[in-house]
Amino acid sequence: MKRKFWVTTFLTLSGILVLTGCSKEKNEGTVKENKNQEITFMIPDWGVPPQSMLAEFEKEKGIKVNIETVSWDDIRNKIAIAASGNKAAADVFEVDWSWIGEFEDAQWLEPIELSQEDIKDIPSISTFIVNDRVLAVPYANDFRIGYYNKVIYQQAGLDEPQTWNDVMKDMEILKEKNILKYPYTFPLNANEATTTSFIWLTYLRDGKVFNDDGTLNRENALTTLNFINDMLKKGLINPANLTLNGLDTYRQILSKDAAFMVGPTSFIARSVDPDQSKAIGEIEVILPPGKDGKATQTMALTEAVGVSSLSENKEAAKEFVKWYTSKETQKAFFKEISAIPTRTSVLNEVIDAGEIKNSGAMKETSILVKSPFPNGVPAYYAEMSNSIYNAINSMASGNLTPEEAVNQIDSKIQELIKD
């Protein structure tokens, strides 16, 4: 599941980066302790810090960081192969939200101690806390948020949707009035975007996707599948979404082929980018709808960094992770590489400064981030995801009823739990 949560066109940024770093006096002991140490950092190209920042970190901490730029798709395999030989692929490496269960089960991650203040400042860290231990720290944000085209809505005399029932009624009106052929967009391909969309839709509306024992909440899952199926039967979703990738389905809001969606935060920036959007000034960024009113929780698909349990430089590696995810570094990353801050304090700061255009309900939604997995992301997530997206794609193709699809998903999850 490859997901990019920022784009080079995220913002028109101005100003010169000012690196603040940590107080030398406070870290004097750490510097001496880590003097002349070296660590390796395996990360996709989008997370590589500027060399100037790494040089400042080395000067401050006495730790040299050697970057290994590896594609997102290859990182998990490299970690697994190295671990099979009892070696660390790198001292610090990328940890996707969907890997955390597998990595924890294999004991590939070293716990990281953070203050309660830091934990509270990073809502999406809940995904990476297992058995009260922080196993990785998020560094770039990507939570689900609502989007609607206010101009298209106004043509039909519609107001901002508050509930998912509102969304259904609004989409029906837009189609009946021939304003849009397929006003709602939702991923339906047999790939990861469909799984995560199913999970967040159930989570936003009904709050519980999985029961406390890890099994599927059949009632809520079936409600979601019926909603998707009804949207398809009423011709409100483009049938092309059965074969389009997730990003291309989301782009329908930018091309004005869709009027409403819930999607990645990166589309806040895309919506105001003239190279990507035909709806400049038309798209409102809103709190997602819920069951009886606005949603009270949302889901994040966050990238994090963790320390290898097989590292020979664990203390230096932990020092780097704390620096890499600190307030000062997140501010710098936002300016340098357009990474959306995972810290609420930093995100609020850049929004209040007007540095994110058309931010809408970004602040309000960011603090609603929680994990839909009551026991953490399971080690069998990849297999479960495969079952979910194949069942939904088959249902959307007309080969399964919603009841048959939920039975298929439920049976597979129960099988995975027993194994």
Side-chain angles (χ1 to χ4, degrees), residues 354-374:
E355 296 180 59
I356 296 181
K357 296 179 181 179
N358 195 34
S359 60
M362 199 175 189
K363 286 172 66 173
E364 297 91 327
T365 309
S366 70
I367 60 174
L368 301 180
V369 169
K370 298 175 185 175
S371 173
F373 302 94

Side-chain angles (χ1 to χ4, degrees), residues 210-336:
F210 305 100
N211 300 314
D212 292 343
D213 61 0
T215 58
L216 183 71
N217 187 295
R218 286 180 55 91
E219 180 181 355
N220 293 345
L222 183 57
T223 299
T224 294
L225 293 173
N226 278 322
F227 176 85
I228 297 168
N229 198 50
D230 287 347
M231 282 281 193
L232 282 162
K233 284 186 174 181
K234 293 175 180 179
L236 304 175
I237 300 177
N238 193 332
N241 290 14
L242 282 159
T243 55
L244 290 176
N245 65 41
L247 279 179
D248 284 338
T249 64
Y250 298 138
R251 288 190 177 102
Q252 290 166 13
I253 197 83
L254 305 181
S255 61
K256 301 204 285 190
D257 291 312
F260 178 86
M261 76 169 192
V262 169
T265 46
S266 66
F267 276 76
I268 294 173
R270 295 173 192 264
S271 71
V272 295
D273 181 356
D275 292 329
Q276 299 189 61
S277 177
K278 294 180 180 178
I280 303 292
E282 298 182 17
I283 295 174
E284 291 287 307
V285 180
I286 62 172
L287 275 169
K291 184 176 183 178
D292 301 312
K294 289 294 189 177
T296 57
Q297 63 279 317
T298 190
M299 178 183 177
L301 281 66
T302 314
E303 306 291 335
V305 287
V307 174
S308 172
S309 59
L310 298 171
S311 169
E312 296 180 358
N313 306 292
K314 292 177 183 175
E315 294 309 311
K318 290 177 185 179
E319 199 71 38
F320 173 72
V321 168
K322 291 177 182 179
W323 170 83
Y324 186 79
T325 58
S326 68
K327 290 182 180 181
E328 292 78 10
T329 302
Q330 287 212 350
K331 291 176 188 176
F333 274 8
F334 177 75
K335 293 180 181 294
E336 285 287 297

